[in-house]
């Protein structure tokens, strides 16, 4: 193993790449893992809560889903123990803990309802990010922030205002800003005639929400677009153009979810443009497959390209890396771990790019050599560097992970009713 790494190190060094440095850099890049892979985006607001409506869907009924906060946290801890790197946890508002307060509706959420998450976060040294939840609720069966019904709209405006307070509380407690993401499913299955009207309402709802000033030291707001969703095939109020414009105008964060664009769009290509006009971005690393935007993230070409662009822009400090996928058809911890490890692999590979050499070929106009080196890079001994990184982070190798997850299934998740 050691000799595999030494030989890999030499081969990369011949191209001007320092593998030790890449490993040390990656150890410090935080990835905000989503909390919702473990229970199919259900949350724990009431017994048997499940994802309902809202343009997203989880398919599959694999046994062993987390049924309580304790089970979910145990699964998250297991996932993190099998994944190298440094972590944050991205919590959704429907994961409020009402055990010591009693139920509160979305427009009555308080920081108190997330106290146990903050405590978990401190114990595990995993800072938190946050999301308003504008789905899985009776008042979210139609439009929310873009609704023409003032009662509905005000309910959701109040919800998001409260979520920002909760995010601020998290940010203060952890000493690093909490990234608060707003995604709504608002849209229409069939052709609307007032495309403009709903967008104007959405903008004014957001203006109202953001009129409450909160220090960026504690909270940073981001808005997430989508090209279409299930049941919103003809029109999504929060389109890319809408939020791109809104984020630029308000100099706030824009969320780029890899599954939220047309399948032939190159999502990686967006980073360098968007980063010129918004201060920071949030990524939802995901994998779109046909109509589903949230398949388990893999170490595939799209992810490699995303990670390359994150590194190549030289703006990693302005990019908040988050993940967003959910699969209920396979072992859920396994799904989680595959996606997190794929994220780490993509980043490591991007950090190992012979960037100086590539750049000098490009600047010389030698596009043949640039292409040839990009091809040569593909057969470099990346696996040996990846294994070394896992060892240094004291996590198992890719193959060991399979047994670890199967054992956890046997001794923990399979015993859940
Ligand atoms: C849905 C969006 C959104 C959700 C989470 C659960 O298409 O990607 O980010 O996945 O809010
Ligand atoms: Zn997303």
């Amino acid at each position: 193993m050691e000799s595999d790494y030494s030989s890999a190190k030499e081969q990369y060094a011949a191209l001007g790449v320092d593998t030790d440095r890449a490993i040390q850099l990656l150890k410090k890049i935080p990835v905000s893992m989503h909390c919702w892979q473990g229970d199919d985006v259900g949350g724990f607001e009431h017994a048997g809560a499940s994802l309902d409506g809202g343009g997203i869907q989880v398919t599959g009924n694999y046994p062993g889903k987390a049924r309580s906060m304790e089970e979910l946290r145990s699964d998250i801890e297991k996932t993190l123990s099998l994944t190298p790197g440094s972590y944050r946890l991205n919590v959704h508002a429907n994961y409020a803990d009402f055990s010591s307060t009693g139920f509160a509706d979305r427009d009555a959420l308080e920081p108190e309802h997330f106290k146990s998450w903050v405590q978990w976060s401190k114990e595990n040294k995993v800072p938190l990010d946050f999301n308003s939840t504008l789905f899985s609720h009776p008042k979210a069966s139609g439009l929310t922030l873009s609704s023409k019904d003032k009662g509905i709209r005000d309910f959701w405006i109040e919800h998001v205002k409260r979520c920002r307070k909760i995010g601020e509380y998290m940010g203060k407690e952890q000493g690093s800003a909490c990234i608060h993401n707003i995604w709504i499913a608002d849209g229409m299955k069939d052709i609307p005639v007032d495309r403009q009207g709903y967008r104007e309402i959405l903008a004014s709802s957001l203006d109202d929400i953001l009129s409450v000033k909160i220090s960026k030291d504690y909270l940073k707001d981001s808005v997430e677009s989508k090209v279409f969703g299930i049941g919103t095939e003809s029109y999504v109020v929060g389109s890319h153009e809408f939020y791109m414009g809104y984020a630029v105008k308000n100099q706030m964060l824009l969320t780029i979810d890899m599954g939220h664009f047309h399948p032939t769009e190159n999502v990686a290509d967006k980073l360098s443009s968007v980063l010129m006009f918004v201060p920071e971005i949030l990524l939802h690393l995901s994998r779109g497959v046909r109509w589903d935007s949230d398949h388990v993230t893999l170490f595939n070409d799209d992810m490699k390209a995303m990670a390359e662009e994150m590194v190549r822009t030289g703006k990693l400090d302005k990019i908040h890396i988050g993940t967003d996928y959910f699969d209920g058809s396979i072992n859920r911890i396994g799904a989680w771990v595959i996606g997190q490890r794929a994220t780490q692999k993509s980043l490591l590979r991007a950090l190992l790019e012979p960037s100086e050499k590539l750049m000098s070929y490009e600047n010389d106009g030698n596009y043949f050599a640039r292409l040839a080196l990009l091809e040569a890079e593909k057969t470099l001994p990346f696996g040996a560097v990846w294994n070394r990184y896992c060892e240094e982070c004291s996590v198992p190798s890719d193959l060991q992970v399979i047994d670890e997850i199967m054992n956890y299934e046997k001794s923990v998740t399979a015993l859940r009713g």
Side-chain angles (χ1 to χ4, degrees):
M1 280 306 210
E2 187 54 44
S3 68
D4 283 355
Y5 180 66
S6 311
S7 149
K9 191 175 147 100
E10 265 174 42
Q11 292 178 62
Y12 278 100
L15 294 170
V17 176
D18 182 342
T19 52
D20 290 336
R21 188 172 164 270
I23 287 174
Q24 296 318 319
L25 275 173
L26 182 52
K27 281 184 188 166
K28 297 203 192 86
I29 300 176
V31 171
S32 191
M33 183 175 92
H34 58 307
C35 78
W36 51 87
Q37 159 58 41
D39 72 328
D40 304 347
V41 207
F44 304 110
E45 288 173 300
H46 49 82
S50 64
L51 176 65
D52 177 26
I56 47 173
Q57 207 172 58
V58 184
T59 48
N61 203 15
Y62 195 83
K65 169 161 104 173
R67 297 161 304 176
S68 66
M69 203 70 89
E70 292 67 39
E71 288 181 353
L72 185 74
R73 286 180 187 153
S74 142
D75 294 354
I76 290 169
E77 286 160 31
K78 185 70 196 174
T79 300
L80 295 181
S81 77
L82 297 176
T83 312
S86 95
Y87 278 89
R88 298 174 66 91
L89 185 75
N90 194 10
V91 175
H92 236 291
N94 57 333
Y95 289 77
D97 183 355
F98 299 130
S99 58
S100 57
T101 57
F103 174 76
D105 206 350
R106 300 272 175 88
D107 64 340
L109 287 175
E110 300 279 356
E112 204 185 347
H113 302 127
F114 292 86
K115 218 167 137 183
S116 71
W117 278 114
V118 168
Q119 198 182 326
W120 179 91
S121 152
K122 286 180 180 168
E123 280 164 17
N124 290 277
K125 298 195 173 48
V126 175
L128 303 175
D129 293 311
F130 199 54
N131 298 261
S132 292
T133 308
L134 295 98
F135 50 83
S136 302
H137 190 280
K139 287 196 162 68
S141 57
L143 304 175
T144 63
L145 294 177
S146 70
S147 173
K148 291 186 178 179
D149 178 331
K150 186 169 182 314
I152 297 275
R153 201 164 71 233
D154 287 347
F155 176 88
W156 291 114
I157 290 173
E158 183 61 25
H159 169 65
V160 184
K161 283 184 174 170
R162 282 170 179 263
C163 285
R164 294 183 71 232
K165 283 271 168 224
I166 293 162
E168 178 188 33
Y169 154 69
M170 290 172 170
K172 277 187 182 161
E173 290 286 329
Q174 66 201 16
S176 81
C178 167
I179 310 298
H180 168 238
N181 184 50
I182 304 172
W183 173 73
I184 61 172
D186 293 28
M188 291 193 184
K189 182 183 174 81
D190 234 320
I191 307 156
V193 292
D194 192 14
R195 287 179 187 269
Q196 176 87 53
Y198 303 106
R199 290 187 169 134
E200 282 171 358
I201 295 172
L202 176 56
S204 97
S205 294
L206 291 169
D207 288 349
D208 184 349
I209 288 164
L210 297 169
S211 69
V212 182
K213 294 294 166 220
I214 296 179
S215 162
K216 288 196 173 55
D217 291 342
Y218 305 131
L219 184 87
K220 291 178 181 174
D221 296 286
S222 194
V223 280
E224 179 180 8
S225 71
K226 191 163 180 170
V227 64
F228 79 91
I230 299 165
T232 59
E233 290 83 359
S234 299
Y235 172 65
V236 166
V237 185
S239 60
H240 175 62
E241 290 72 12
F242 178 87
Y243 282 128
M244 177 83 198
Y246 194 83
V248 170
K249 182 176 172 203
N250 294 285
Q251 284 303 293
M252 61 188 298
L253 280 67
L254 183 74
T255 304
I256 298 180
D257 183 310
M258 287 174 76
H260 287 194
F261 296 89
H262 189 277
T264 64
E265 270 185 85
N266 176 354
V267 182
D269 179 55
K270 298 176 189 301
L271 305 194
S272 51
S273 298
V274 172
L275 279 166
M276 286 173 63
F277 303 108
V278 300
E280 295 171 47
I281 57 176
L282 170 63
L283 299 179
H284 274 186
L285 301 177
S286 186
R287 178 168 53 108
V289 176
R290 300 193 187 274
W291 51 265
D292 178 46
S293 66
D294 304 286
H295 270 52
V296 175
T297 300
L298 299 179
F299 182 46
N300 61 9
D301 286 349
D302 293 339
M303 274 290 287
K304 288 177 190 165
M306 280 299 274
E308 281 165 3
E309 279 307 303
M310 288 183 226
V311 172
R312 288 174 185 169
T313 56
K315 293 183 180 170
L316 266 170
D317 58 326
K318 307 223 172 313
I319 302 174
H320 302 274
I321 307 170
T323 52
D324 182 15
Y325 50 83
F326 24 95
D327 189 340
S329 76
I330 56 173
N331 180 302
R332 291 177 184 77
I333 292 118
W336 236 333
V337 171
I338 289 172
Q340 296 308 313
R341 291 176 69 101
T343 301
Q344 295 287 324
K345 277 181 199 162
S346 309
L347 287 165
L348 182 60
R349 188 183 159 280
L351 291 166
L352 291 170
E353 183 166 84
S355 42
E356 276 172 36
K357 234 177 156 53
L358 283 165
M359 190 68 100
S360 86
Y361 285 145
E362 180 163 308
N363 289 340
D364 292 346
N366 192 344
Y367 299 154
F368 146 71
R370 179 186 62 186
L371 193 58
L373 182 51
L374 286 170
E375 280 293 284
E377 202 188 324
K378 292 178 184 168
T379 53
L380 286 175
F382 170 72
V385 186
W386 167 249
N387 288 336
R388 171 64 168 233
Y389 176 57
C390 289
E391 267 167 45
E392 282 197 23
C393 294
S394 309
V395 303
S397 69
D398 285 350
L399 291 177
Q400 289 163 340
V401 156
I402 299 175
D403 288 332
E404 285 268 355
I405 289 168
M406 281 163 56
N407 287 336
Y408 186 76
E409 170 165 304
K410 230 190 263 154
S411 60
V412 181
T413 55
L415 308 179
R416 293 173 186 167

